[in-house]
Amino acid sequence: MLLFEVLSKSNNGIEVLHKRSIYPKADVTYISPDTIKEEIKDIESSSHIQGINMELDRSDINLRLEGFEYVNISSLKYKYADVPKLEVFGSGTKVKMERISVDSLYLSNCSAFIIESHINEIMFTGDKGIKNIYDLNLDLLKSHLGEVKVRAACKRIHIQSCQVNELICLEEVNKIERIIIWQNSTLEKIALDGEIEKVKLINCNIEELRFNNKCRVREISTLYSYIERIHRCFYSTIGNKNMDAWMLMKQSAKYDNRPHDLAEAGYNYSRLERKTVLKGAQKSVAFIIEYTSGYGYRPMRTIVTGGLIWIIFGILYWILTISGLDGIVNSSQGSLQGGWASLMYSMYFSIITLSTTGYGEIVPLGWIVRMLSGIESVLGVLIMSLFIFTLTKKYGSL
């Protein structure tokens, strides 16, 4: 059985023009304002039918609705009506569905609000090549959904407390203003395409998040969300490079086996974390790590740091040697002469101390040089360990 109310707008708001219960005989039931006027003689032909309220208690009919401004569909007597196929065509039509089970739902140029429903497939489409002509919205609440395909420029896609197998924005999409997924929603796969202003993932679980080549997201946030796999998130994919964006690019580079992008994203994520999150001693330590190893992603910085330590300590040994206060001596020839020869010996002593080689033919004389050589030896061990760490993190973490 199909119970419906015909709605029209008056000075007092929306009023019910007619109520009727019907038992459709055909496999496909087509309903529009014109067919209602033909079937129901009580409604004047000049009346403007704006919408329809429908309650269903059938599982063997396909519905096709067209030409309404408002469509409300629910199950009769708090039961789930099982509809094989439901199609709604409109020009900015507002559709509300509650407690409905549908195998295939086709929405063309409609805004939909779906509550507590079971739908295997949703096709949300609109006019190709036209951006936001109807300010379409797709709101899904507490529903179990299979495949949700979006092929329309729309203002909002809102998923709350839902279980979704796949959310796919097809390549025909021009622009989506906002995608919001939150409140313990679970999605097996999200595939994004087209231009998207904002994506908010709040307290949700996503098995796979994939960005297609032409996808451009201006801003994205992933608050308290778990994303198992991320693919094809490049530098050009996300406009606003916040910490969430860098983390997504980092994880994508890891799963897609792109070591250069992994290093770049990892470095920028850690750098932004130091500037915006870390405080006090943690920030100071992070500053040192950034400029000595690039957070493990810049091996060349570690080499440069080791070179600077070598040169600085070598000059200190030379100054102390030519000043006569302390210095280095040749164990077989005695004290060293000043000038460039002693500078070369000082640089040589500095490099064998930094590398902890220590041949023994040149030794420190006096406590100042001994203390400096001890410090350089410790720094040498740290630099070599840090260099191995950076190589492993940049090239061996995939």
Short mmCIF file of all heavy atoms in Angstrom, two decimals, residues 265-324:
data_model
loop_
_atom_site.label_atom_id
_atom_site.label_comp_id
_atom_site.label_asym_id
_atom_site.label_seq_id
_atom_site.Cartn_x
_atom_site.Cartn_y
_atom_site.Cartn_z
N ALA A 265 57.34 15.48 3.26
CA ALA A 265 56.16 15.63 4.11
C ALA A 265 56.50 15.42 5.59
O ALA A 265 56.01 16.15 6.46
CB ALA A 265 55.08 14.66 3.67
N GLY A 266 57.35 14.43 5.87
CA GLY A 266 57.74 14.19 7.26
C GLY A 266 58.49 15.36 7.85
O GLY A 266 58.27 15.74 9.02
N TYR A 267 59.39 15.96 7.08
CA TYR A 267 60.14 17.12 7.56
C TYR A 267 59.21 18.30 7.83
O TYR A 267 59.29 18.95 8.90
CB TYR A 267 61.20 17.51 6.53
CG TYR A 267 61.85 18.84 6.82
CD1 TYR A 267 62.82 18.97 7.81
CD2 TYR A 267 61.49 19.98 6.10
CE1 TYR A 267 63.41 20.19 8.07
CE2 TYR A 267 62.08 21.20 6.37
CZ TYR A 267 63.04 21.30 7.35
OH TYR A 267 63.62 22.52 7.62
N ASN A 268 58.32 18.61 6.91
CA ASN A 268 57.43 19.76 7.08
C ASN A 268 56.42 19.54 8.21
O ASN A 268 56.05 20.49 8.91
CB ASN A 268 56.69 20.05 5.78
CG ASN A 268 57.57 20.75 4.76
OD1 ASN A 268 57.83 21.95 4.86
ND2 ASN A 268 58.05 20.00 3.78
N TYR A 269 55.99 18.29 8.41
CA TYR A 269 55.08 18.01 9.54
C TYR A 269 55.79 18.27 10.87
O TYR A 269 55.24 18.93 11.76
CB TYR A 269 54.61 16.55 9.47
CG TYR A 269 53.81 16.13 10.67
CD1 TYR A 269 52.45 16.40 10.75
CD2 TYR A 269 54.41 15.47 11.74
CE1 TYR A 269 51.70 16.03 11.86
CE2 TYR A 269 53.68 15.10 12.85
CZ TYR A 269 52.33 15.38 12.91
OH TYR A 269 51.60 15.02 14.02
N SER A 270 57.01 17.75 11.01
CA SER A 270 57.76 17.95 12.26
C SER A 270 58.10 19.42 12.48
O SER A 270 58.07 19.92 13.61
CB SER A 270 59.03 17.11 12.24
OG SER A 270 58.74 15.73 12.11
N ARG A 271 58.43 20.13 11.41
CA ARG A 271 58.77 21.55 11.51
C ARG A 271 57.56 22.36 11.96
O ARG A 271 57.66 23.24 12.82
CB ARG A 271 59.28 22.05 10.16
CG ARG A 271 59.83 23.45 10.16
CD ARG A 271 60.56 23.71 8.85
NE ARG A 271 61.15 25.02 8.82
CZ ARG A 271 60.58 26.10 8.29
NH1 ARG A 271 59.37 25.97 7.71
NH2 ARG A 271 61.17 27.27 8.30
N LEU A 272 56.39 22.06 11.38
CA LEU A 272 55.18 22.78 11.78
C LEU A 272 54.77 22.42 13.20
O LEU A 272 54.26 23.27 13.94
CB LEU A 272 54.06 22.45 10.79
CG LEU A 272 52.78 23.30 10.89
CD1 LEU A 272 53.09 24.77 10.70
CD2 LEU A 272 51.76 22.84 9.87
N GLU A 273 55.01 21.19 13.60
CA GLU A 273 54.71 20.78 14.97
C GLU A 273 55.57 21.56 15.96
O GLU A 273 55.09 21.97 17.03
CB GLU A 273 54.96 19.28 15.13
CG GLU A 273 54.63 18.74 16.51
CD GLU A 273 54.97 17.29 16.66
OE1 GLU A 273 55.99 16.85 16.07
OE2 GLU A 273 54.23 16.57 17.36
N ARG A 274 56.85 21.77 15.64
CA ARG A 274 57.72 22.54 16.53
C ARG A 274 57.24 23.98 16.68
O ARG A 274 57.26 24.56 17.77
CB ARG A 274 59.16 22.53 16.00
CG ARG A 274 60.10 23.41 16.80
CD ARG A 274 61.49 23.42 16.20
NE ARG A 274 61.56 24.08 14.91
CZ ARG A 274 61.63 25.41 14.74
NH1 ARG A 274 61.61 26.23 15.78
NH2 ARG A 274 61.71 25.92 13.53
N LYS A 275 56.76 24.54 15.58
CA LYS A 275 56.36 25.94 15.62
C LYS A 275 55.02 26.17 16.31
O LYS A 275 54.79 27.23 16.91
CB LYS A 275 56.30 26.51 14.20
CG LYS A 275 57.66 26.65 13.54
CD LYS A 275 57.52 27.28 12.17
CE LYS A 275 58.88 27.52 11.53
NZ LYS A 275 58.76 28.17 10.20
N THR A 276 54.12 25.20 16.23
CA THR A 276 52.75 25.43 16.68
C THR A 276 52.34 24.64 17.91
O THR A 276 51.41 25.03 18.62
CB THR A 276 51.75 25.11 15.55
OG1 THR A 276 51.93 23.74 15.15
CG2 THR A 276 52.00 26.02 14.35
N VAL A 277 53.01 23.51 18.19
CA VAL A 277 52.56 22.62 19.27
C VAL A 277 53.54 22.55 20.42
O VAL A 277 53.16 22.72 21.58
CB VAL A 277 52.29 21.20 18.71
CG1 VAL A 277 51.88 20.26 19.84
CG2 VAL A 277 51.22 21.24 17.63
N LEU A 278 54.81 22.31 20.13
CA LEU A 278 55.80 22.10 21.18
C LEU A 278 56.10 23.38 21.95
O LEU A 278 56.07 24.47 21.40
CB LEU A 278 57.09 21.54 20.58
CG LEU A 278 56.97 20.20 19.83
CD1 LEU A 278 58.32 19.76 19.32
CD2 LEU A 278 56.35 19.14 20.73
N LYS A 279 56.42 23.19 23.24
CA LYS A 279 56.72 24.32 24.12
C LYS A 279 57.97 24.02 24.93
O LYS A 279 58.32 22.87 25.16
CB LYS A 279 55.55 24.60 25.07
CG LYS A 279 54.21 24.87 24.40
CD LYS A 279 54.21 26.17 23.63
CE LYS A 279 52.84 26.44 23.00
NZ LYS A 279 52.83 27.68 22.18
N GLY A 280 58.62 25.08 25.40
CA GLY A 280 59.72 24.96 26.35
C GLY A 280 60.88 24.14 25.84
O GLY A 280 61.39 24.32 24.73
N ALA A 281 61.34 23.18 26.71
CA ALA A 281 62.52 22.37 26.39
C ALA A 281 62.30 21.50 25.15
O ALA A 281 63.22 21.31 24.36
CB ALA A 281 62.88 21.50 27.59
N GLN A 282 61.08 21.00 24.97
CA GLN A 282 60.80 20.19 23.79
C GLN A 282 61.01 20.99 22.51
O GLN A 282 61.53 20.46 21.53
CB GLN A 282 59.37 19.66 23.85
CG GLN A 282 59.13 18.58 24.89
CD GLN A 282 57.72 18.05 24.85
OE1 GLN A 282 56.78 18.77 24.48
NE2 GLN A 282 57.54 16.80 25.24
N LYS A 283 60.61 22.24 22.54
CA LYS A 283 60.79 23.09 21.36
C LYS A 283 62.26 23.34 21.09
O LYS A 283 62.69 23.37 19.93
CB LYS A 283 60.03 24.40 21.57
CG LYS A 283 59.95 25.27 20.33
CD LYS A 283 58.99 26.43 20.55
CE LYS A 283 58.80 27.22 19.26
NZ LYS A 283 57.82 28.32 19.45
N SER A 284 63.06 23.51 22.15
CA SER A 284 64.50 23.75 21.99
C SER A 284 65.19 22.52 21.42
O SER A 284 66.04 22.63 20.52
CB SER A 284 65.12 24.14 23.33
OG SER A 284 64.52 25.30 23.85
N VAL A 285 64.84 21.35 21.95
CA VAL A 285 65.43 20.12 21.44
C VAL A 285 65.03 19.91 19.97
O VAL A 285 65.87 19.52 19.14
CB VAL A 285 64.98 18.92 22.30
CG1 VAL A 285 65.43 17.61 21.66
CG2 VAL A 285 65.54 19.04 23.71
N ALA A 286 63.77 20.17 19.64
CA ALA A 286 63.32 20.02 18.26
C ALA A 286 64.04 20.98 17.33
O ALA A 286 64.33 20.64 16.17
CB ALA A 286 61.81 20.25 18.18
N PHE A 287 64.34 22.18 17.83
CA PHE A 287 65.09 23.16 17.02
C PHE A 287 66.47 22.62 16.67
O PHE A 287 66.92 22.72 15.53
CB PHE A 287 65.20 24.47 17.80
CG PHE A 287 65.96 25.54 17.08
CD1 PHE A 287 65.33 26.36 16.14
CD2 PHE A 287 67.31 25.74 17.34
CE1 PHE A 287 66.04 27.34 15.48
CE2 PHE A 287 68.02 26.72 16.67
CZ PHE A 287 67.38 27.52 15.74
N ILE A 288 67.15 22.02 17.66
CA ILE A 288 68.48 21.46 17.42
C ILE A 288 68.40 20.30 16.44
O ILE A 288 69.22 20.19 15.50
CB ILE A 288 69.11 21.01 18.75
CG1 ILE A 288 69.35 22.22 19.66
CG2 ILE A 288 70.43 20.28 18.50
CD1 ILE A 288 69.81 21.86 21.05
N ILE A 289 67.40 19.43 16.61
CA ILE A 289 67.25 18.28 15.72
C ILE A 289 66.96 18.74 14.30
O ILE A 289 67.44 18.15 13.33
CB ILE A 289 66.14 17.35 16.25
CG1 ILE A 289 66.55 16.74 17.59
CG2 ILE A 289 65.84 16.25 15.23
CD1 ILE A 289 65.47 15.90 18.22
N GLU A 290 66.17 19.81 14.16
CA GLU A 290 65.85 20.31 12.82
C GLU A 290 67.09 20.75 12.07
O GLU A 290 67.28 20.41 10.89
CB GLU A 290 64.86 21.47 12.91
CG GLU A 290 64.53 22.07 11.55
CD GLU A 290 63.59 23.26 11.64
OE1 GLU A 290 62.99 23.48 12.72
OE2 GLU A 290 63.45 23.99 10.63
N TYR A 291 67.97 21.50 12.75
CA TYR A 291 69.11 22.08 12.05
C TYR A 291 70.31 21.15 11.99
O TYR A 291 71.29 21.46 11.31
CB TYR A 291 69.49 23.41 12.70
CG TYR A 291 68.52 24.51 12.33
CD1 TYR A 291 67.44 24.81 13.15
CD2 TYR A 291 68.66 25.21 11.14
CE1 TYR A 291 66.53 25.79 12.80
CE2 TYR A 291 67.76 26.20 10.78
CZ TYR A 291 66.69 26.49 11.61
OH TYR A 291 65.79 27.47 11.26
N THR A 292 70.28 20.03 12.69
CA THR A 292 71.38 19.06 12.59
C THR A 292 71.04 17.86 11.74
O THR A 292 71.95 17.21 11.19
CB THR A 292 71.79 18.58 14.00
OG1 THR A 292 70.64 18.04 14.68
CG2 THR A 292 72.37 19.73 14.82
N SER A 293 69.74 17.53 11.61
CA SER A 293 69.39 16.35 10.81
C SER A 293 68.10 16.50 10.04
O SER A 293 67.70 15.58 9.34
CB SER A 293 69.27 15.13 11.73
OG SER A 293 68.17 15.28 12.62
N GLY A 294 67.41 17.67 10.16
CA GLY A 294 66.12 17.83 9.48
C GLY A 294 65.12 16.81 9.96
O GLY A 294 64.36 16.26 9.16
N TYR A 295 65.10 16.55 11.28
CA TYR A 295 64.19 15.57 11.89
C TYR A 295 64.37 14.16 11.32
O TYR A 295 63.44 13.36 11.31
CB TYR A 295 62.73 16.01 11.74
CG TYR A 295 62.45 17.36 12.30
CD1 TYR A 295 62.26 18.45 11.46
CD2 TYR A 295 62.38 17.58 13.68
CE1 TYR A 295 62.01 19.71 11.98
CE2 TYR A 295 62.12 18.84 14.20
CZ TYR A 295 61.95 19.90 13.34
OH TYR A 295 61.71 21.15 13.85
N GLY A 296 65.59 13.89 10.88
CA GLY A 296 65.86 12.57 10.34
C GLY A 296 65.63 12.45 8.85
O GLY A 296 65.84 11.36 8.29
N TYR A 297 65.24 13.52 8.18
CA TYR A 297 64.94 13.47 6.74
C TYR A 297 65.96 14.25 5.91
O TYR A 297 65.81 14.34 4.70
CB TYR A 297 63.55 14.04 6.48
CG TYR A 297 62.45 13.24 7.13
CD1 TYR A 297 61.81 13.71 8.28
CD2 TYR A 297 62.03 12.03 6.59
CE1 TYR A 297 60.79 12.98 8.87
CE2 TYR A 297 61.02 11.29 7.18
CZ TYR A 297 60.40 11.78 8.32
OH TYR A 297 59.39 11.06 8.92
N ARG A 298 67.01 14.82 6.53
CA ARG A 298 68.01 15.61 5.82
C ARG A 298 69.42 15.11 6.17
O ARG A 298 70.12 15.69 7.00
CB ARG A 298 67.88 17.09 6.18
CG ARG A 298 66.55 17.75 5.83
CD ARG A 298 66.45 17.98 4.34
NE ARG A 298 65.35 18.87 4.01
CZ ARG A 298 64.10 18.47 3.79
NH1 ARG A 298 63.81 17.18 3.88
NH2 ARG A 298 63.16 19.33 3.49
N PRO A 299 69.90 14.00 5.58
CA PRO A 299 71.24 13.49 5.90
C PRO A 299 72.34 14.51 5.62
O PRO A 299 73.36 14.53 6.33
CB PRO A 299 71.37 12.27 5.00
CG PRO A 299 69.97 11.86 4.66
CD PRO A 299 69.19 13.14 4.63
N MET A 300 72.17 15.35 4.61
CA MET A 300 73.20 16.31 4.28
C MET A 300 73.43 17.31 5.40
O MET A 300 74.55 17.79 5.62
CB MET A 300 72.82 17.04 2.98
CG MET A 300 73.91 17.96 2.44
SD MET A 300 75.49 17.11 2.18
CE MET A 300 75.01 15.93 0.92
N ARG A 301 72.38 17.64 6.15
CA ARG A 301 72.54 18.56 7.28
C ARG A 301 73.44 17.93 8.35
O ARG A 301 74.21 18.64 9.02
CB ARG A 301 71.19 18.92 7.88
CG ARG A 301 70.35 19.80 6.99
CD ARG A 301 69.16 20.37 7.73
NE ARG A 301 68.35 21.22 6.87
CZ ARG A 301 67.31 21.94 7.27
NH1 ARG A 301 66.95 21.89 8.56
NH2 ARG A 301 66.63 22.67 6.44
N THR A 302 73.36 16.64 8.53
CA THR A 302 74.22 15.96 9.50
C THR A 302 75.67 16.00 9.05
O THR A 302 76.59 16.21 9.87
CB THR A 302 73.77 14.51 9.68
OG1 THR A 302 72.38 14.48 10.01
CG2 THR A 302 74.53 13.83 10.81
N ILE A 303 75.91 15.83 7.75
CA ILE A 303 77.28 15.92 7.22
C ILE A 303 77.83 17.32 7.41
O ILE A 303 78.99 17.51 7.82
CB ILE A 303 77.29 15.52 5.74
CG1 ILE A 303 76.89 14.05 5.58
CG2 ILE A 303 78.66 15.77 5.12
CD1 ILE A 303 76.77 13.59 4.14
N VAL A 304 77.00 18.34 7.12
CA VAL A 304 77.44 19.73 7.30
C VAL A 304 77.73 20.02 8.76
O VAL A 304 78.72 20.68 9.10
CB VAL A 304 76.37 20.70 6.75
CG1 VAL A 304 76.72 22.15 7.10
CG2 VAL A 304 76.24 20.54 5.24
N THR A 305 76.88 19.52 9.66
CA THR A 305 77.11 19.72 11.09
C THR A 305 78.42 19.10 11.53
O THR A 305 79.20 19.71 12.29
CB THR A 305 75.94 19.12 11.90
OG1 THR A 305 74.72 19.73 11.50
CG2 THR A 305 76.15 19.33 13.40
N GLY A 306 78.70 17.87 11.06
CA GLY A 306 79.98 17.22 11.39
C GLY A 306 81.16 18.01 10.86
O GLY A 306 82.20 18.13 11.54
N GLY A 307 81.02 18.55 9.64
CA GLY A 307 82.09 19.37 9.07
C GLY A 307 82.35 20.63 9.88
O GLY A 307 83.51 21.02 10.09
N LEU A 308 81.30 21.28 10.34
CA LEU A 308 81.47 22.49 11.16
C LEU A 308 82.16 22.18 12.48
O LEU A 308 83.02 22.95 12.94
CB LEU A 308 80.11 23.14 11.40
CG LEU A 308 79.44 23.79 10.18
CD1 LEU A 308 78.05 24.28 10.54
CD2 LEU A 308 80.29 24.94 9.65
N ILE A 309 81.78 21.05 13.10
CA ILE A 309 82.43 20.67 14.36
C ILE A 309 83.92 20.42 14.13
O ILE A 309 84.78 20.84 14.92
CB ILE A 309 81.74 19.41 14.94
CG1 ILE A 309 80.31 19.74 15.37
CG2 ILE A 309 82.54 18.86 16.13
CD1 ILE A 309 79.52 18.54 15.83
N TRP A 310 84.23 19.73 13.05
CA TRP A 310 85.64 19.47 12.73
C TRP A 310 86.43 20.78 12.58
O TRP A 310 87.51 20.94 13.16
CB TRP A 310 85.70 18.63 11.46
CG TRP A 310 87.06 18.57 10.82
CD1 TRP A 310 88.23 18.21 11.42
CD2 TRP A 310 87.39 18.89 9.47
NE1 TRP A 310 89.27 18.28 10.54
CE2 TRP A 310 88.78 18.69 9.34
CE3 TRP A 310 86.65 19.31 8.36
CZ2 TRP A 310 89.44 18.90 8.12
CZ3 TRP A 310 87.31 19.51 7.16
CH2 TRP A 310 88.69 19.32 7.05
N ILE A 311 85.90 21.70 11.80
CA ILE A 311 86.62 22.96 11.54
C ILE A 311 86.74 23.80 12.81
O ILE A 311 87.81 24.34 13.13
CB ILE A 311 85.91 23.74 10.43
CG1 ILE A 311 86.01 22.98 9.10
CG2 ILE A 311 86.51 25.14 10.28
CD1 ILE A 311 85.19 23.58 7.99
N ILE A 312 85.64 23.93 13.56
CA ILE A 312 85.66 24.77 14.77
C ILE A 312 86.65 24.24 15.80
O ILE A 312 87.47 24.99 16.36
CB ILE A 312 84.24 24.87 15.36
CG1 ILE A 312 83.33 25.66 14.44
CG2 ILE A 312 84.27 25.50 16.75
CD1 ILE A 312 81.87 25.65 14.84
N PHE A 313 86.62 22.94 16.06
CA PHE A 313 87.55 22.37 17.04
C PHE A 313 88.98 22.42 16.54
O PHE A 313 89.93 22.62 17.33
CB PHE A 313 87.14 20.94 17.40
CG PHE A 313 86.08 20.86 18.47
CD1 PHE A 313 84.75 20.98 18.15
CD2 PHE A 313 86.44 20.69 19.80
CE1 PHE A 313 83.77 20.91 19.13
CE2 PHE A 313 85.47 20.63 20.79
CZ PHE A 313 84.13 20.74 20.46
N GLY A 314 89.18 22.23 15.23
CA GLY A 314 90.53 22.32 14.69
C GLY A 314 91.11 23.71 14.88
O GLY A 314 92.29 23.86 15.25
N ILE A 315 90.32 24.75 14.66
CA ILE A 315 90.79 26.13 14.85
C ILE A 315 91.08 26.39 16.33
O ILE A 315 92.07 27.06 16.69
CB ILE A 315 89.75 27.12 14.31
CG1 ILE A 315 89.67 27.00 12.77
CG2 ILE A 315 90.09 28.55 14.70
CD1 ILE A 315 88.59 27.83 12.15
N LEU A 316 90.23 25.85 17.23
CA LEU A 316 90.48 26.03 18.67
C LEU A 316 91.79 25.37 19.09
O LEU A 316 92.59 25.97 19.85
CB LEU A 316 89.31 25.43 19.47
CG LEU A 316 87.99 26.17 19.41
CD1 LEU A 316 86.90 25.40 20.17
CD2 LEU A 316 88.12 27.58 19.99
N TYR A 317 92.07 24.16 18.59
CA TYR A 317 93.35 23.50 18.90
C TYR A 317 94.51 24.34 18.39
O TYR A 317 95.55 24.48 19.07
CB TYR A 317 93.39 22.11 18.27
CG TYR A 317 92.34 21.15 18.78
CD1 TYR A 317 91.74 20.23 17.92
CD2 TYR A 317 91.95 21.16 20.12
CE1 TYR A 317 90.79 19.34 18.38
CE2 TYR A 317 90.99 20.26 20.58
CZ TYR A 317 90.41 19.37 19.71
OH TYR A 317 89.46 18.50 20.17
N TRP A 318 94.38 24.90 17.21
CA TRP A 318 95.46 25.70 16.61
C TRP A 318 95.71 26.97 17.42
O TRP A 318 96.87 27.32 17.69
CB TRP A 318 95.09 26.04 15.18
CG TRP A 318 96.11 26.89 14.47
CD1 TRP A 318 97.43 26.59 14.28
CD2 TRP A 318 95.90 28.17 13.88
NE1 TRP A 318 98.06 27.58 13.58
CE2 TRP A 318 97.13 28.58 13.32
CE3 TRP A 318 94.79 29.00 13.74
CZ2 TRP A 318 97.29 29.79 12.66
CZ3 TRP A 318 94.95 30.19 13.07
CH2 TRP A 318 96.17 30.60 12.54
N ILE A 319 94.65 27.66 17.82
CA ILE A 319 94.80 28.89 18.61
C ILE A 319 95.50 28.59 19.94
O ILE A 319 96.41 29.31 20.37
CB ILE A 319 93.42 29.54 18.86
CG1 ILE A 319 92.86 30.06 17.53
CG2 ILE A 319 93.52 30.67 19.87
CD1 ILE A 319 91.45 30.59 17.64
N LEU A 320 95.07 27.50 20.60
CA LEU A 320 95.70 27.14 21.88
C LEU A 320 97.16 26.73 21.69
O LEU A 320 98.01 26.99 22.56
CB LEU A 320 94.92 26.01 22.53
CG LEU A 320 93.51 26.37 23.04
CD1 LEU A 320 92.76 25.13 23.49
CD2 LEU A 320 93.59 27.38 24.19
N THR A 321 97.47 26.10 20.55
CA THR A 321 98.85 25.66 20.30
C THR A 321 99.77 26.84 20.06
O THR A 321 100.87 26.93 20.65
CB THR A 321 98.88 24.71 19.09
OG1 THR A 321 98.07 23.57 19.36
CG2 THR A 321 100.31 24.26 18.79
N ILE A 322 99.36 27.80 19.20
CA ILE A 322 100.25 28.92 18.89
C ILE A 322 100.29 29.95 20.02
O ILE A 322 101.21 30.77 20.09
CB ILE A 322 99.82 29.61 17.58
CG1 ILE A 322 98.42 30.22 17.72
CG2 ILE A 322 99.90 28.62 16.41
CD1 ILE A 322 97.97 30.98 16.49
N SER A 323 99.31 29.90 20.94
CA SER A 323 99.31 30.84 22.06
C SER A 323 100.27 30.41 23.16
O SER A 323 100.65 31.22 24.00
CB SER A 323 97.90 30.99 22.64
OG SER A 323 97.47 29.76 23.23
N GLY A 324 100.64 29.12 23.17
CA GLY A 324 101.55 28.62 24.17
C GLY A 324 100.88 28.26 25.48
O GLY A 324 101.57 27.81 26.42
#
